Amino acid sequence: EPEVTQTPSHQVTQMGQEVILRCVPISNHLYFYWYRQILGQKVEFLVSFYNNEISEKSEIFDDQFSVERPDGSNFTLKIRSTKLEDSAMYFCASSDADAANVLTFGAGSRLTVL
Amino acid sequence: QKEVEQDPGPLSVPEGAIVSLNCTYSNSAFQYFMWYRQYSRKGPELLMYTYSSGNKEDGRFTAQVDKSSKYISLFIRDSQPSDSATYLCAMSAYGNKLVFGAGTILRVKS
């Protein structure tokens, strides 16, 4: 069954460092997303991406965050200068054109900021 | 009022029981309703997807949406220990942004 692949599974970084989280969405999907889940809290929407541009973003997704689709298969989330409160699970998801609301999530990347 | 409300549980049931999970919401623009299952430190896995009001059945799982009451439910028949997980309701309006509930922890005891 096709799946969304995320790397790394766990990253530990120092406050102020830049972090890049990587995702390989399902190959025929056209919509890509990042969500995050702080430990013990809800899964929260960060950003959606379609046709090589951001289609929607939440208030969490400030200037410290950016997304990129550098090639035909990868989708990345960059956090420029990490803060302690960025510690969370980050989930990538994708969906296809026929069922855009049906998201398939990856296993997540756990980010720990010290 | 929170946009999506879900009792976090935990809900503990014996094996074979019928489980009822539910969410309420406040945004009348929501049209798409999903139930995801999440195991510890894993990503959400889609279980059921419903558009607008009505019922949908898939094996042991039944999803119900009552838009007039802004209330959605997931029923699990003949629950198994492997059903033990966190169940997340999620919903969206016309865009693709999902709004999640807090998740209900379910424990099925053998």
Side-chain angles (χ1 to χ4, degrees):
Chain A
E1 188 170 329
E3 58 181 22
V4 175
T5 306
Q6 289 187 243
T7 54
S9 56
H10 186 199
Q11 180 154 358
V12 181
T13 191
Q14 295 292 323
M15 192 168 54
Q17 295 297 303
E18 177 182 284
V19 159
I20 297 176
L21 305 178
R22 303 179 193 280
C23 170
V24 179
I26 293 174
S27 61
N28 62 336
H29 284 186
L30 300 179
Y31 298 88
F32 314 115
Y33 314 85
W34 285 100
Y35 285 74
R36 81 169 184 194
Q37 187 175 31
I38 295 171
L39 189 63
Q41 297 187 24
K42 290 185 180 187
V43 177
E44 302 174 287
F45 169 78
L46 290 179
V47 66
S48 59
F49 191 87
Y50 171 72
N51 201 25
N52 282 321
E53 60 183 26
I54 291 173
S55 47
E56 191 172 357
K57 61 182 181 179
S58 71
E59 55 275 7
I60 303 167
F61 194 89
D62 61 20
D63 292 343
Q64 293 287 81
F65 292 88
S66 62
V67 289
E68 193 179 30
R69 187 152 164 84
D71 53 43
S73 58
N74 290 283
F75 180 52
T76 62
L77 174 70
K78 182 193 291 187
I79 309 174
R80 264 180 266 284
S81 177
T82 49
K83 308 186 193 77
L84 295 176
E85 54 265 35
D86 293 328
S87 295
M89 281 288 279
Y90 288 82
F91 295 108
C92 176
S94 65
S95 61
D96 69 21
D98 294 333
N101 298 86
V102 181
L103 274 62
T104 301
F105 284 82
S109 292
R110 183 154 63 104
L111 176 64
T112 302
V113 182
L114 302 176
Chain B
Q1 185 183 9
K2 290 181 184 174
E3 205 168 13
V4 178
E5 303 232 30
Q6 184 177 10
D7 186 338
L11 178 63
S12 188
V13 301
E15 183 176 356
I18 296 175
V19 174
S20 172
L21 305 166
N22 41 68
C23 290
T24 58
Y25 63 94
S26 58
N27 187 347
S28 56
F30 287 145
Q31 297 285 338
Y32 303 91
F33 303 92
M34 279 70 72
W35 285 95
Y36 284 85
R37 178 173 61 196
Q38 186 178 28
Y39 294 110
S40 181
R41 297 189 181 272
K42 298 293 184 187
E45 171 197 5
L46 182 67
L47 283 177
M48 300 289 284
Y49 167 81
T50 311
Y51 170 68
S52 196
S53 281
N55 293 357
K56 186 172 183 178
E57 188 173 320
D58 183 2
R60 296 185 296 114
F61 298 91
T62 300
Q64 289 184 350
V65 174
D66 181 349
K67 289 188 68 182
S68 62
S69 302
K70 296 191 178 70
Y71 186 89
I72 70 170
S73 302
L74 177 71
F75 298 96
I76 307 174
R77 289 182 297 282
D78 187 25
S79 56
Q80 303 295 309
S82 57
D83 294 328
S84 298
T86 299
Y87 289 79
L88 310 171
C89 64
M91 43 200 83
S92 68
Y94 293 102
N96 303 343
K97 168 189 161 185
L98 297 186
V99 180
F100 281 85
T104 300
I105 298 170
L106 172 66
R107 296 182 184 137
V108 182
K109 300 172 294 187
S110 57

